[in-house]
Structure formats: C-alpha cells, structure tokens
Amino acid sequence: MELHNVRLEKEGAVAVVVIDRPKALNALNYDTLKELLYCFKTLAQEKEIGAIILTGGGEKAFVAGADISYMQELNGLEGAEFGALGHAVMAAIEDAPQPVIAAVNGFALGGGCELSLACDIRVASETAKFGQPEVNLGVIPGFGGTQRLPRIVGKGIACELLYTGDMIDAAEALRIGLVNKVVATDELLDTCRVMASKITAKGPIAIRLCKETVNNGMQMDITRANRYEATQFGQCFASEDQKEGMKAFLEKRKPSFQGK
C-alpha cells in the first residue's frame, strides 16, 4: 500500500509509525485509519522488529481526534462501518506481537486518546492533552474509549472524563495512571527510543508471550488467568531463548537471544 498520511520508519529493531497530517492535527479519517491498519498488520509479520513507537507528526498533536469534517455527513450505517474500521486498527495494535509505545506529543483527543489507550505504554510530553470530548458532538467514543479507559484508570475517573468531555493535561494524566511518564517535549522520542531499545534487548519470545498473557488474561477471572499464565510460562521452556537466557545468567554474561 502507498502511504500518504502515515510514515513508517525503521531504526534497527524498532519501528516508528508517524501519523503525518499535521495541518489537520493528525485527525483520523478513513484513509489514515486504513494506512495505520496496513502498517500494524505488516509489522506484526516482521520478526526483526521487536518494538514499535507510535507518534504524531508536527509539534501540536498526537492525534486531535477523528476527522469531524469526514464524519459529519455519515448516516447510521456508515457511522457503524467507520467505527468498525477504528476498532480494527485498535485491535491490530493490541494484537501486534511487539510492544507498542505511544509517544504522545500534543493533543490526544477522541480517537487520538483511544489510539493511545490501545498501546501498551504511553509516554507524554509536558504539552500533551488528553480527553474524550465526543459527548460535546452528540456522540460517544467509537474506537474503544468506553471500554479501555475504565480498564486503565478505573470506572469512576473514566466516567467523569467520558460524561463531561473534559480535557486534562499531562500532569493529571500521570496522576490518574493514564500515562506511564511525562517528559520534556524535546526528550519525548529519545525517551521512547531508549525504552524500545531496552525491550528489544530482551528475549523476543518472552516479550511476545508477556504481551499475550497480559492482554488475554485481563479478559478472564483471576483463576483462569493464572492457569493461562502457567501454560504460557511452560511454553517458554520449549524455546532456545530460555536455555540461552538461563545459561548466560549462570555464566555471568549477556544473553544472545535469537527468537527461537
């Protein structure tokens, strides 16, 4: 697929996906969502990529929301189809075998907040702003916001944000657990690159199984989830990476993981 709204860059074992519509504050229209879906589906097949950073182009926005000028004329069926496409993108991010780090460099509103919620880790610049303002437009979040936000920050805080449509700054996002950390704007991408590089230095099979186990286990009761973890733990012992990792530990050297 030819990309017009998204840039895909590779830096060794780290891929950087940039939503590149700065004049539109990186708003998510149909074409941008299709390009994002393509990028994450493609990266999921690339074993040499161990971590992904997702960010917005320009200095003002991560993603300021879904494109209202596009959505304005949609009917009920078309709105549902647009929502389904958004959900497919979020699922592709969650289902990617690689951890995905959101580098939130400005406004993350509506669909932009939802996009960050689908990522495994969120790092925000000091200028970042978050919110689900859909009720101000007479609609509800349509890309998973009503489901992922309560799971991350708790029901009460999520309901306040969803019902009021209020926007919060990076410091408040950190306080409520919406983001992992807040850094200076000019340090954002480098901070995410360091984190991504740390992840890619670990056993790739273990990282993939960790992500699978966290995401799938959160949909289960604790008893089933613990049984699932035990099964996933056992899978690690069928890998060469487990043998190498433990051997390296006992030999007091760095392991050389091969993803096998």
Side-chain angles (χ1 to χ4, degrees), residues 149-201:
L149 189 60
R151 284 167 166 80
I152 292 171
V153 303
K155 182 182 176 183
I157 292 173
C159 287
E160 180 181 351
L161 292 172
L162 292 165
Y163 300 168
T164 65
D166 284 350
M167 183 168 62
I168 61 173
D169 62 17
E172 178 66 2
L174 180 64
R175 187 189 74 81
I176 66 176
L178 181 55
V179 300
N180 295 66
K181 61 178 67 179
V182 178
V183 300
T185 301
D186 60 358
E187 297 175 2
L188 178 63
L189 278 177
D190 283 344
T191 299
C192 292
R193 286 187 178 103
V194 169
M195 186 183 295
S197 295
K198 187 180 292 187
I199 290 169
T200 59

Side-chain angles (χ1 to χ4, degrees), residues 67-104:
D67 194 325
I68 297 171
S69 62
Y70 171 79
M71 293 190 296
Q72 182 182 10
E73 300 300 328
L74 299 180
N75 61 32
L77 179 59
E78 292 166 339
E81 290 174 347
F82 186 59
L85 175 58
H87 275 280
V89 173
M90 308 308 157
I93 293 171
E94 285 188 332
D95 294 343
Q98 306 95 337
V100 182
I101 303 169
V104 184

